[in-house]
Amino acid sequence: MQKKGVAILGSTGSIGTQTLEVIRAYPDKFDLQVITAQSNAPLLIEQAKLFQPNAVVISDESKYQEVKDALFSEDIHVYAGNQALCQVVEFNEIQIVLTALVGYAGLRPTLAAIEAGKDIALANKETLVVAGELVTARARAKGVNIYPVDSEHSAIFQCLVGEFHNPVEKVYLTASGGPFRGWKADALKSVTPAQALKHPNWSMGAKITIDSASMMNKGLEVIEAKWLFGLKNEQIDVIVHPQSVVHSLVQFQDGSLKAQMGLPDMKLPIQFALTYPERFKTDFPRFNFLDYPQLTFEKADPETFRNLQLAYDVLEKGGTAACALNAANEISVQLFLEEKIGFLDIARINEQVMLQTPFIAAPGYEDYVETDRIAREIVLKQV
Ligand code: NAD
Ligand code: MG
C-alpha cells in the first residue's frame, strides 16, 4: 500500500499532538508532509526534527527566523504567515489535510485544500459553522470527502457505515454537560475562567473547553452535523450524557438506534478519519463495562445555557447568521478568558451581536469574510 500523505494544520495543539501520536504509531502507513502552528515555535521545531516533514509553517511571522535557524541543517522547508497555510496544502504529495486549528482562521486553508482536491479530516468545526453551505458545496464539486474528527460526528459517521442508502430519521448528539451541568444562572454569574477550564471528561484547547462549559460547543456541533450529514434542523437533537461513553447516536426510519461507544479518547476518531474505511489495530485501553455500571441521560437546558438555543436560532435563519454568532463567540470567549467579561456575558454578547450584524441570506465567500469582520468589531465596540 502506498503511504498516505498527510498535512496537519495546527500540529502543536491538543488535536494536533494527538494526531502526531497516531501518525507515529504507523510509520509505514502515513507520510507526514506538513505541520503548522500559530506561534509555538519551540514545539513546532521539536516536532519537525522528530517527524521530518517536507515543510512547516509558523503563522506568526515574527517567529520565522527562530524556526528557520533551528531547522537550518534539516531538509525541511520553512514558511511563515497565513497565506502560506493556503499554499502548503496544495502540495502534490498530500492526500488528506487534518484541520486542527481553532476558529474562523480554518476557513481559508480548508477551502484552499478542497480546491486542490485534498480530502479533509475536519476537527476545526468553526469552518463548517461559518460557511458550511459553501464548504460542502465546494467539496461536492471537487469530489472531496470531509471526514469528521469531532467525536460526536465521528460516532455518527461510524454508525452510518453500511447504511449510506438508508434515510436517517434523527441524530442524537451527546453532550457531557461540562463542568457546570445542572447549574443555574445565579451560580453561573460568578464562575471564573479557571473553573470553566476544568472539563470533567476531556482535556482540550482553551477555546473549545470554554465552549463546552457554555454549551456553545454543542451548539456549534449541531450546525456542524447539519452540514456534514445533510440534515434538516429538526433532525438534530442534543442529549446530555455525563459519562461521555456513548459518543452519539443515529435513529433510522424503522426506529432502530445505533450508537458508537468507547472511552473518551480523541485518538480514535482522529485515526478513523485518517484510515477510513479501514480500522487499524491499536493498543488504546479497552472499555470495561464494570467501570461504568450506569450510563445516564438528561435533558439539555438551553434556557440557562443560551448558546445552545442561539445555535438552533441561527440554523433557522441560515445565511450569514451562524458566521456572525461564531465571530461574536470567538471574541467573547477570549474576553472571558482575559477576565474582562463574566461567564453569562458570553451568550448575552453573542445574542446581541448576532442580531446587530447585517444579515445576508445567500452569501458568497467575501460576505462571510465581511460578516466575520463586522461581528468582531461590534463586540469590541461594546466591551
Ligand atoms: P488548541 O488550541 O489546543 O490548538 C490549536 C492549534 O492551532 C495550535 O497548533 C495553534 O498553534 C494553531 N492555531 C490556533 N489559532 C491559529 C490561527 N489563527 N492560525 C493558525 N494556526 C492557529 O485547539 P484544539 O483543542 O486542538 O482544537 C482544534 C480544533 O479542533 C478546534 O476547532 C476544536 O473545536 C476542534 N476539536 C477539538 C477537540 C479536542 O479534543 N481538543 C475535540 C473536538 C474538536
Ligand atoms: Mg465534540
Side-chain angles (χ1 to χ4, degrees):
M1 195 187 101
Q2 220 203 340
K3 288 193 199 178
K4 190 180 257 187
V6 181
I8 307 174
L9 306 185
S11 64
T12 57
S14 159
I15 292 289
T17 51
Q18 293 180 84
T19 305
L20 285 174
E21 285 182 51
V22 169
I23 302 255
R24 179 147 67 164
Y26 306 98
D28 53 336
K29 303 279 193 187
F30 299 116
D31 172 21
L32 185 67
Q33 282 288 324
V34 169
I35 54 177
T36 82
Q38 163 83 336
S39 57
N40 188 345
L43 184 53
L44 185 68
I45 291 164
E46 188 189 317
Q47 293 176 339
K49 287 185 170 167
L50 190 61
F51 286 91
Q52 294 289 318
N54 182 9
V56 304
V57 179
I58 184 95
S59 290
D60 178 348
E61 296 182 28
S62 71
K63 304 276 170 72
Y64 172 74
Q65 207 53 48
E66 181 184 348
V67 179
K68 181 85 187 153
D69 291 348
L71 299 180
F72 174 71
S73 57
E74 314 281 342
D75 187 17
I76 300 171
H77 300 278
V78 179
Y79 303 102
N82 287 325
Q83 187 56 32
L85 285 183
C86 300
Q87 288 158 351
V88 291
V89 294
E90 295 178 352
F91 289 172
N92 277 337
E93 296 79 5
I94 296 171
Q95 268 111 57
I96 190 161
V97 176
L98 191 136
T99 62
L101 26 65
V102 188
Y104 170 84
L107 176 60
R108 217 159 58 101
T110 305
L111 281 172
I114 291 172
E115 293 306 329
K118 313 300 184 189
D119 283 338
I120 306 293
L122 184 123
N124 172 239
K125 63 192 87 184
E126 293 93 342
T127 281
L128 283 187
V129 171
V130 168
E133 195 164 8
L134 173 71
V135 171
T136 51
R138 290 314 300 156
R140 266 195 308 278
K142 284 283 174 181
V144 155
N145 297 305
I146 303 180
Y147 299 113
V149 169
D150 217 342
S151 59
E152 295 78 0
H153 305 74
S154 176
I156 291 168
F157 182 55
Q158 292 181 59
C159 292
L160 288 174
V161 172
E163 303 273 8
F164 288 113
H165 297 290
N166 287 328
V168 169
E169 191 168 81
K170 193 170 209 172
V171 302
Y172 288 96
L173 295 175
T174 51
S176 70
F180 307 133
R181 178 173 61 89
W183 291 36
K184 294 292 172 195
D186 256 0
L188 288 172
K189 241 187 325 214
S190 52
V191 300
T192 63
Q195 283 175 291
L197 283 169
K198 278 208 191 85
H199 195 280
N201 303 340
W202 299 94
S203 158
M204 312 178 284
K207 196 260 178 182
I208 182 174
T209 306
I210 300 301
D211 283 347
S212 298
S214 75
M215 290 298 273
M216 186 76 261
N217 183 51
K218 211 48 55 179
L220 300 179
E221 291 184 352
V222 167
I223 303 172
E224 182 186 11
K226 177 192 172 82
W227 296 115
L228 277 174
F229 305 111
L231 299 169
K232 298 202 180 80
N233 307 348
E234 59 276 15
Q235 286 178 294
I236 312 166
D237 229 329
V238 170
I239 184 85
V240 175
H241 166 50
Q243 296 81 20
S244 297
V245 162
V246 177
H247 296 310
S248 279
L249 312 92
V250 178
Q251 181 174 307
F252 294 93
Q253 60 179 356
D254 59 357
S256 177
L257 268 176
K258 273 168 108 175
Q260 189 264 336
M261 296 171 60
L263 293 169
D265 180 350
M266 286 306 296
K267 287 200 293 300
L268 192 126
I270 290 169
Q271 178 166 317
F272 192 66
L274 293 176
T275 67
Y276 173 84
E278 277 187 83
R279 288 185 186 273
F280 290 180
K281 187 171 172 49
T282 73
D283 55 6
F284 303 159
R286 282 356 188 200
F287 183 76
N288 180 353
F289 281 89
L290 303 184
D291 291 341
Y292 292 89
Q294 278 197 323
L295 298 181
T296 60
F297 300 92
E298 305 164 11
K299 209 163 136 19
D301 179 3
E303 272 153 47
T304 304
F305 295 90
R306 287 285 302 154
N307 280 329
L308 182 57
Q309 184 58 49
L310 297 181
Y312 277 101
D313 293 349
V314 294
L315 263 193
E316 216 42 67
K317 211 167 162 199
T320 50
C323 175
L325 175 62
N326 177 74
N329 185 63
E330 287 189 25
I331 302 287
S332 58
V333 166
Q334 193 188 322
L335 292 170
F336 171 70
L337 284 169
E338 292 165 2
E339 301 189 56
K340 292 186 176 138
I341 61 171
F343 185 74
L344 291 177
D345 296 327
I346 298 174
R348 186 183 55 73
I349 291 172
N350 289 353
E351 180 160 23
Q352 277 176 7
V353 173
M354 174 190 116
L355 295 171
Q356 287 169 21
T357 308
F359 175 72
I360 301 165
Y365 175 73
E366 292 304 330
D367 299 316
Y368 291 118
V369 175
E370 195 53 10
T371 302
D372 178 81
R373 188 186 65 75
I374 295 172
R376 283 165 198 266
E377 236 174 54
I378 297 177
V379 184
L380 291 171
K381 255 188 223 146
Q382 286 188 358
V383 178

